[in-house]
Amino acid sequence: MKPLRQLTSRTAVLADDNIDTDRIIPARFLTTTERTGLGKHAFQDWRYLEDGSPNPDFVLNKPESEGCAILVAGHNFGCGSSREHAPWALLDAGIQAVLSSEIADIFRNNALKNGLLAIVVEAEAHRWLLDHPGVELTIDVAEGFVQSPDGERFGFELDPFARHCLLEGVDPLGFIQQHEDAIERFEQDRQAAA
Amino acid sequence: MTAPRTLFEKVWNAHEVCAQSAEHPAILYIDLHLVHEVTSPQAFAQLRQRGIGVRRPERTLATLDHSTPTLPPDAAGKRQYVTEAAEAQVHQLEANCKEFGVTLHGWDSDARGIVHVMGPELGATQPGMTIVCGDSHTATHGAFGGLAFGIGTTEVGHVLATQCLLQSKPKTFAIHVDGHLRPGVSAKDLILHIIGKIGVDGGTGYVLEYRGSAIEALSMEQRMTLCNMSIEAGARAGMVAPDEVTFQWLKGRPLAPSGAAWDRAVDEWKQLVTDPDATYDREVHIDANAVGPTVSYGTHPGMVTALDAALPDATTDDQRRAMKYMNLTPGQAMTGTRVDVVFVGSCTNGRLSDLRDAARVLKGRRVARGVRMLVVPGSEAVRREAEAEGLHQVFLQAGAEWRAPGCSMCIAMNGDIGQPGQLVVSTSNRNFEGRQGKGVRTVLASPATAAASAVAGRVADPTDYQTGVAA
Ligand code: SF4
């Protein structure tokens, strides 16, 4: 995971509420044993027509979405399954941040662990973002704000540990491993109690 | 004196290796890690890359369920995998378990089954445990009074490597259900009703505790159905305090404690109740008497309705999109909607009592012409028990297919799949667009409602089919 301090990009908007992980990456693509290569199937059944050609009405297929790394999505994005294939597919498709008024717990955890910024903003800011597709935003991870071109800022909350991992580009596994002594003590205490 | 605590807090506290602080989440010890073929390959690959082993193979238990065919091997004995990738994924888990010393209930095991059916059957799932799996329906295991939740593949790697997980403490949410469920109304109807009440994101950030007289009256299998769908309300976990029903169900199972250890365990498990003065962050009250046969009509599990009620007007974009996808109109009732396929199975409703519910309706009746019905037991154990009772004969005589255990059409990644536009009445847990195949319209229902709908060829009320037909 690369350190991520700041991200600047135009937005693409998928305004639907409750976009679930089956819509992000349909189950038939989950037979992979790799983390990469899922980008071409992100939003598959939404993004392609019957004959396999790109659906011109789907936002991410529009010319103006070219190069957009920030996705603004409707309420409760990422609900459903725990498949980490969802953030893998988005990252592989060039999406580096998702902004919504609510993001499902497991998806958000998975996203942050892969360096995909899953950010919850206040309802009012969310409405503004939904109404301004294509706006260029800067997301500042260290300071915890999203800035619009005219300098307006929305703050967002990020668990300090997740922030630390994003800024340093570290997987939390190392942190758990540093507590090996405590884990061992825990196991011994339990053994003794049994 | 310690402050009064909820069931969740008792289990959480007992597993804190390191408490949560301002700088980091808690490090939580995991008692049982369940593994399946879809969400584990990348985690094992990471261990291999870093040169680390599985810390506690004896706390890790694997099965094959998602990508596995439910049809028998062909004449040459070859398993009928849907794709080479599906087969490769299964072989990968077999190889990983061998390499890392993890017990796998694979093709040769008579315990193989859907991970959330198998764990409890083996007695691996016990009260007070922390249980995780790379699978959101891990919530099922909370029915025994443990803290059980789904994790992503990166976290699967963390647990394999350290038997621990970094977790921020969730909030608590009590779902009080009092009164009595009417005859013919099942735990599935109840949970659909609850999700309809609190919403598809109503549980986000919370652990649910189901409690009250109607919950105490549920069988263990019904409690599993209930907890299973906690995630469909956005809650990562659902719990029920263990009681005599729990202990009786567990006693004598292969991995449950026995002898003096059993008595000691039960004494401890009896402490796993919410203290009288403990408080929750949120509470709702549900009247069980008011719950009737309930089904979903839309494209997420919060869009539910009583079977015979008029569908609501679509007031949001979300609802309009759902109605269009489902080809339904406000004002109509779900009963009478034409059905193409009926699926009975999954970790929600693939247990013996579920198959009995379906068989009771089907006995002496036939699946309507033009309707395809699949009955898929949740595990090899369920298959054996069902066959011993002759339930498979009831299904076969009615014209349904009787398959080998697996997730099957719940996730439709093994080849058991609906066709675009088809309407599937399904006892599974998700009705998302495309969940059961591209363009497939899913109606979530109880096993009895599913079976009644198979007979009628239309979504039908099971209470009309509760009495047997004379042979
Ligand atoms: S039956 Fe369905 S919900 Fe349950 S584990 Fe399998 S795919 Fe997941």
Side-chain angles (χ1 to χ4, degrees), chain B residues 18-32:
Chain B
C18 227
Q20 185 167 325
S21 76
E23 287 85 45
H24 60 77
I27 298 180
L28 210 60
Y29 195 78
I30 302 303
D31 293 318
L32 175 65

mmCIF file of all heavy atoms in Angstrom, chain B residues 18-32:
data_model
loop_
_atom_site.group_PDB
_atom_site.id
_atom_site.type_symbol
_atom_site.label_atom_id
_atom_site.label_comp_id
_atom_site.label_asym_id
_atom_site.label_seq_id
_atom_site.Cartn_x
_atom_site.Cartn_y
_atom_site.Cartn_z
ATOM 1 N N CYS B 18 -5.778 -6.203 23.990
ATOM 2 C CA CYS B 18 -5.318 -4.842 24.172
ATOM 3 C C CYS B 18 -6.561 -3.967 24.022
ATOM 4 O O CYS B 18 -7.249 -4.074 23.007
ATOM 5 C CB CYS B 18 -4.369 -4.532 23.021
ATOM 6 S SG CYS B 18 -2.864 -3.773 23.476
ATOM 7 N N ALA B 19 -6.849 -3.156 25.015
ATOM 8 C CA ALA B 19 -8.072 -2.353 24.934
ATOM 9 C C ALA B 19 -7.918 -1.236 23.903
ATOM 10 O O ALA B 19 -6.801 -0.834 23.572
ATOM 11 C CB ALA B 19 -8.411 -1.779 26.293
ATOM 12 N N GLN B 20 -9.036 -0.762 23.434
ATOM 13 C CA GLN B 20 -9.072 0.363 22.490
ATOM 14 C C GLN B 20 -8.511 1.620 23.171
ATOM 15 O O GLN B 20 -8.716 1.811 24.363
ATOM 16 C CB GLN B 20 -10.540 0.565 22.117
ATOM 17 C CG GLN B 20 -10.827 1.588 21.078
ATOM 18 C CD GLN B 20 -12.287 1.435 20.576
ATOM 19 O OE1 GLN B 20 -12.818 0.336 20.477
ATOM 20 N NE2 GLN B 20 -12.915 2.538 20.280
ATOM 21 N N SER B 21 -7.797 2.456 22.428
ATOM 22 C CA SER B 21 -7.321 3.723 22.991
ATOM 23 C C SER B 21 -7.596 4.827 21.984
ATOM 24 O O SER B 21 -8.166 4.568 20.928
ATOM 25 C CB SER B 21 -5.808 3.641 23.257
ATOM 26 O OG SER B 21 -5.118 3.767 22.022
ATOM 27 N N ALA B 22 -7.157 6.033 22.309
ATOM 28 C CA ALA B 22 -7.375 7.145 21.375
ATOM 29 C C ALA B 22 -6.594 6.927 20.090
ATOM 30 O O ALA B 22 -6.972 7.403 19.031
ATOM 31 C CB ALA B 22 -6.968 8.463 22.022
ATOM 32 N N GLU B 23 -5.489 6.175 20.183
ATOM 33 C CA GLU B 23 -4.630 6.006 18.998
ATOM 34 C C GLU B 23 -4.960 4.785 18.148
ATOM 35 O O GLU B 23 -4.654 4.752 16.974
ATOM 36 C CB GLU B 23 -3.140 5.897 19.385
ATOM 37 C CG GLU B 23 -2.504 7.191 19.822
ATOM 38 C CD GLU B 23 -2.747 7.432 21.293
ATOM 39 O OE1 GLU B 23 -2.575 6.471 22.074
ATOM 40 O OE2 GLU B 23 -3.133 8.552 21.658
ATOM 41 N N HIS B 24 -5.521 3.758 18.795
ATOM 42 C CA HIS B 24 -5.728 2.534 18.015
ATOM 43 C C HIS B 24 -6.962 1.777 18.484
ATOM 44 O O HIS B 24 -7.378 1.908 19.630
ATOM 45 C CB HIS B 24 -4.482 1.642 18.079
ATOM 46 C CG HIS B 24 -4.119 1.216 19.473
ATOM 47 N ND1 HIS B 24 -4.793 0.234 20.151
ATOM 48 C CD2 HIS B 24 -3.171 1.680 20.319
ATOM 49 C CE1 HIS B 24 -4.258 0.092 21.352
ATOM 50 N NE2 HIS B 24 -3.285 0.965 21.483
ATOM 51 N N PRO B 25 -7.520 0.962 17.597
ATOM 52 C CA PRO B 25 -8.655 0.108 17.986
ATOM 53 C C PRO B 25 -8.187 -0.981 18.940
ATOM 54 O O PRO B 25 -6.982 -1.110 19.195
ATOM 55 C CB PRO B 25 -9.103 -0.515 16.654
ATOM 56 C CG PRO B 25 -8.345 0.153 15.570
ATOM 57 C CD PRO B 25 -7.138 0.776 16.192
ATOM 58 N N ALA B 26 -9.122 -1.753 19.456
ATOM 59 C CA ALA B 26 -8.765 -2.865 20.335
ATOM 60 C C ALA B 26 -8.128 -3.981 19.523
ATOM 61 O O ALA B 26 -8.399 -4.123 18.336
ATOM 62 C CB ALA B 26 -10.014 -3.385 21.027
ATOM 63 N N ILE B 27 -7.282 -4.759 20.194
ATOM 64 C CA ILE B 27 -6.837 -6.017 19.588
ATOM 65 C C ILE B 27 -7.683 -7.104 20.241
ATOM 66 O O ILE B 27 -7.672 -7.274 21.458
ATOM 67 C CB ILE B 27 -5.337 -6.283 19.830
ATOM 68 C CG1 ILE B 27 -4.498 -5.184 19.174
ATOM 69 C CG2 ILE B 27 -4.952 -7.656 19.286
ATOM 70 C CD1 ILE B 27 -2.990 -5.353 19.368
ATOM 71 N N LEU B 28 -8.429 -7.795 19.414
ATOM 72 C CA LEU B 28 -9.406 -8.752 19.905
ATOM 73 C C LEU B 28 -8.930 -10.165 19.579
ATOM 74 O O LEU B 28 -8.536 -10.431 18.443
ATOM 75 C CB LEU B 28 -10.728 -8.476 19.184
ATOM 76 C CG LEU B 28 -12.034 -8.782 19.896
ATOM 77 C CD1 LEU B 28 -12.144 -7.975 21.186
ATOM 78 C CD2 LEU B 28 -13.207 -8.459 18.966
ATOM 79 N N TYR B 29 -8.986 -11.045 20.567
ATOM 80 C CA TYR B 29 -8.595 -12.441 20.313
ATOM 81 C C TYR B 29 -9.754 -13.185 19.668
ATOM 82 O O TYR B 29 -10.908 -13.020 20.053
ATOM 83 C CB TYR B 29 -8.197 -13.136 21.617
ATOM 84 C CG TYR B 29 -7.459 -14.429 21.363
ATOM 85 C CD1 TYR B 29 -6.119 -14.419 20.996
ATOM 86 C CD2 TYR B 29 -8.113 -15.661 21.458
ATOM 87 C CE1 TYR B 29 -5.431 -15.595 20.727
ATOM 88 C CE2 TYR B 29 -7.429 -16.850 21.197
ATOM 89 C CZ TYR B 29 -6.091 -16.804 20.826
ATOM 90 O OH TYR B 29 -5.419 -17.980 20.567
ATOM 91 N N ILE B 30 -9.436 -14.015 18.678
ATOM 92 C CA ILE B 30 -10.474 -14.742 17.941
ATOM 93 C C ILE B 30 -10.421 -16.226 18.295
ATOM 94 O O ILE B 30 -9.397 -16.883 18.131
ATOM 95 C CB ILE B 30 -10.287 -14.548 16.415
ATOM 96 C CG1 ILE B 30 -10.326 -13.054 16.048
ATOM 97 C CG2 ILE B 30 -11.353 -15.332 15.642
ATOM 98 C CD1 ILE B 30 -11.596 -12.315 16.462
ATOM 99 N N ASP B 31 -11.544 -16.746 18.789
ATOM 100 C CA ASP B 31 -11.583 -18.153 19.211
ATOM 101 C C ASP B 31 -11.707 -19.113 18.044
ATOM 102 O O ASP B 31 -11.175 -20.212 18.078
ATOM 103 C CB ASP B 31 -12.781 -18.377 20.144
ATOM 104 C CG ASP B 31 -12.622 -17.644 21.450
ATOM 105 O OD1 ASP B 31 -11.508 -17.662 21.998
ATOM 106 O OD2 ASP B 31 -13.612 -17.043 21.917
ATOM 107 N N LEU B 32 -12.487 -18.710 17.054
ATOM 108 C CA LEU B 32 -12.745 -19.633 15.943
ATOM 109 C C LEU B 32 -12.732 -18.867 14.631
ATOM 110 O O LEU B 32 -13.428 -17.858 14.488
ATOM 111 C CB LEU B 32 -14.110 -20.317 16.145
ATOM 112 C CG LEU B 32 -14.589 -21.226 15.002
ATOM 113 C CD1 LEU B 32 -13.672 -22.438 14.830
ATOM 114 C CD2 LEU B 32 -16.033 -21.692 15.267
#
